[in-house]
Amino acid sequence: MTRLLTGAPATDGFRMPAEYEPHAGCWMLWPERADNWREAARPAQLAFARVAAAIAQFEPVTVGVSTAHYSSARALLPGGVRVVEMAHDDAWMRDVGPTCVIDSAGVVRGVDWRFNAWGGLDGGLYFPWDQDDLVASKVLEIERLDRYRAPLVMEGGALHVDGQGTALVTEQCLLNPNRNPHLARADIEDALRVYLGVRTVIWLGLGLYNDETGGHIDDLACFVRPGEVCLTWTTNRRDPQYASSQDAWERLNDARDARGRRLRVARLPSPGPMHLSRREAAGIVPRPGTKARPPGERLAATYVNFYIANGGIVMPLLDPRTDRLAAQRLKLLFPGRRVVGVPGREILLGGGNIHCITQQIPRGLR
Amino acid sequence: MTRLLTGAPATDGFRMPAEYEPHAGCWMLWPERADNWREAARPAQLAFARVAAAIAQFEPVTVGVSTAHYSSARALLPGGVRVVEMAHDDAWMRDVGPTCVIDSAGVVRGVDWRFNAWGGLDGGLYFPWDQDDLVASKVLEIERLDRYRAPLVMEGGALHVDGQGTALVTEQCLLNPNRNPHLARADIEDALRVYLGVRTVIWLGLGLYNDETGGHIDDLACFVRPGEVCLTWTTNRRDPQYASSQDAWERLNDARDARGRRLRVARLPSPGPMHLSRREAAGIVPRPGTKARPPGERLAATYVNFYIANGGIVMPLLDPRTDRLAAQRLKLLFPGRRVVGVPGREILLGGGNIHCITQQIPRGLR
């Protein structure tokens, strides 16, 4: 039985657990849009299938697929991955799926944010997004988890938490007037406190350069454990990313988390810079109302967009010159987990990476 | 994780439990075909929603709905009923859903029969039926139950079991050459033994008069408990149903079940006879390739087509002259269960009733 709840997580005693806490499983969606994924999304489907298979080594994976693509997806995905029909407008489960919260008794519930395709008719990436906005409730219904419908536009990729009362977000995204123009910074902090059960919000400035979501935190930095953050980094002063990583570094070093701790900040090297090739761009079928992808465009490439699974890290492989170094850093940062790399370029071409296409369900005591 | 198994239930130690054994829940599908359900299926949807609500008093209910109808179904069904997207060709979950089996450790698995719309291109009711044939595997995948794919055409409504080694079927249906023309009677018995884990098959002759499935047992008779059967009955000698109920009565009285018991046979009065009205027929949009529904046609009306839920009986209300008597009989037959009546005429117009549109999942020890 899935109930639509009238209260709010924090007042009901719930908090969002960190991604490194135990999972019941992981949800994904299937890439299908020919106006976003080249060659009718087939290369992306192969890449998503490898991500699903990699995560399924660590925890149960479910993939939502449109009815039209059901049989081809079922054939491509490993037998151990659960495939269910689920309509969607694109494949970003992090952003359209539920943000789950848990209480001290181990009850898991979901927060169903309003979704407007990263900006609605004012800078959003496509129209319509009505099917995306139903995904969180459908996931919760299949999982039989109760649901809070949050009264604000938010995406899962726009927030990280440490599980101990601290949220990490960017001003570029959360204060963008194309999300919640009626809410001031303090109102948004209040909403995060109420819906994530956090006490402290750490604001960074800009997100990753040319990130089309408008600066999601999950392309810039994430918690590695309570008290420790890893940050996308570049040493190239001429890279447009340099200044915002520098700014984030300073803000993180000045910050205190909810328990009053200073943060350790680890730096992850950047791949590239990477750009959309002419051939890749030619494989995309443009459509009015969907964001264009011109050849030569800088891609929002970062190793920070990895997924933390039970006992594993599933990271994108993006650039042979830096992949190994990034993997080594992640192994040092997560000594208890096995680091698995999956080719990420095809996912990146669609506008995100492994963290963006996944959403964990915490392990409860149901 | 759902596996496709290579063995067969009986050899793996599994048996089909009777419907009166404990359920984990019940699955249904949503009626949508305008060429089978009048007025674009809206009256049927209201009727199905009442059935779902009635069963949900007793056990969890899940309803599979096409993507196009998702939001309207979600709005119509009670919040406690789980709604999931699931393509289908029509709404007969009994026949297209899995037939579940259980072992002595409480592990539940599903049998996924081949389905050909009750007769394929030789007397079947519509074409194509490819989405129907995927339903069982999709249900099992959502429930995370392993699956046997049976190599023969069968429908859940074509068989009943007592849970103690006995199956009840009709010759009219199981020996119809439009199902498994390559299999003789003995081959079909063998298949039932292997896939249902039964030792004894009791064969009745004809099913219910004008039952378009070709004589499903679930419109004629069912087990009430081990050693006891209830049978659709008429005392009207001019009713074409008279002879086949009489024949079934005699066969049941001659039979021995798997434990060597004689059967007690209870008789359930029949409603009607009931016929499709001109107005009802006019609401159906005919389509070549789908069975026509001419006005005046005799409807396959029977009270035997009820659903046994945990602690309840959900029965169709069909005829005010006989509904009360039938309900009283069912109360006497099932003293431990609460009998709930739901208006069944709109379901009957589509060709079946409450048992035909439901499929239980046994309660295991997973």
Side-chain angles (χ1 to χ4, degrees), chain A residues 1-2 60-62 67 70-71 74 79-87 131 134 137-138 141-144, chain B residues 1-2 60-62 67 70-71 74 79-87 131 134 137-138 141-144:
Chain A
M1 304 264 255
T2 294
V61 176
T62 305
T67 299
Y70 177 84
S71 292
R74 181 60 287 179
V81 170
R82 183 168 70 159
V83 181
V84 303
E85 283 166 274
M86 191 167 288
Q131 294 301 319
L134 290 170
S137 66
K138 291 176 179 174
E141 202 154 337
I142 289 183
E143 298 288 4
R144 298 192 189 279
Chain B
M1 302 265 253
T2 295
V61 175
T62 306
T67 299
Y70 176 84
S71 292
R74 181 60 286 178
V81 169
R82 184 168 70 160
V83 181
V84 303
E85 282 166 275
M86 190 168 287
Q131 294 301 318
L134 291 170
S137 66
K138 291 176 180 174
E141 201 154 336
I142 288 182
E143 298 288 5
R144 297 191 190 279

Side-chain angles (χ1 to χ4, degrees), chain B residues 166 200 202 252-263:
Chain B
T166 315
T200 299
I202 297 175
L252 286 166
N253 276 292
D254 290 345
R256 292 283 199 289
D257 70 13
R259 299 206 174 172
R261 286 175 292 224
R262 286 191 180 278
L263 298 171

